[in-house]
Amino acid sequence: AMIATFLFGGLMLYAAPSLFEGKWLHAKLGLVIVMTGIHGVFSKWRKTFERDQNTRPAKFYRIWNEVPTVVMIAIIILVIVKPF
């Protein structure tokens, strides 16, 4: 899904470069990059679980589990409201 998002989003921006005029798009793209980074961190943490090398408490992961949801909600709000 992430690959498809980057592919189709890139094609959309290529087809309509005027979208870059809205500053909301820059904020949205920044949050998409943050979401990609979170995905990478989660992949790294998953590998530590596979090797049975986890040292963090369960509460740590429960809190971090909510971060992608908050980022996704912010992305959706930026797209719908276009505040700036």
Side-chain angles (χ1 to χ4, degrees):
M2 183 172 57
I3 293 169
T5 299
F6 280 116
L7 176 68
F8 293 119
L11 289 172
M12 180 185 69
L13 292 173
Y14 178 76
S18 62
L19 290 172
F20 279 113
E21 294 172 5
K23 297 200 185 311
W24 65 270
L25 183 67
H26 296 280
K28 177 194 159 199
L29 292 175
L31 287 173
V32 169
I33 290 169
V34 167
M35 182 73 86
T36 304
I38 292 170
H39 175 78
V41 169
F42 282 6
S43 296
K44 180 182 172 192
W45 290 343
R46 182 186 53 83
K47 290 176 185 176
T48 62
F49 271 101
E50 287 177 352
R51 293 188 305 263
D52 200 26
Q53 296 175 341
N54 178 44
T55 58
R56 294 185 176 99
K59 185 175 182 180
F60 174 82
Y61 294 107
R62 276 186 263 145
I63 292 170
W64 269 96
N65 185 50
E66 304 307 321
V67 172
T69 304
V70 172
V71 174
M72 185 173 49
I73 290 169
I75 289 170
I76 292 169
I77 289 172
L78 282 170
V79 170
I80 294 172
V81 177
K82 297 178 184 167
F84 40 85

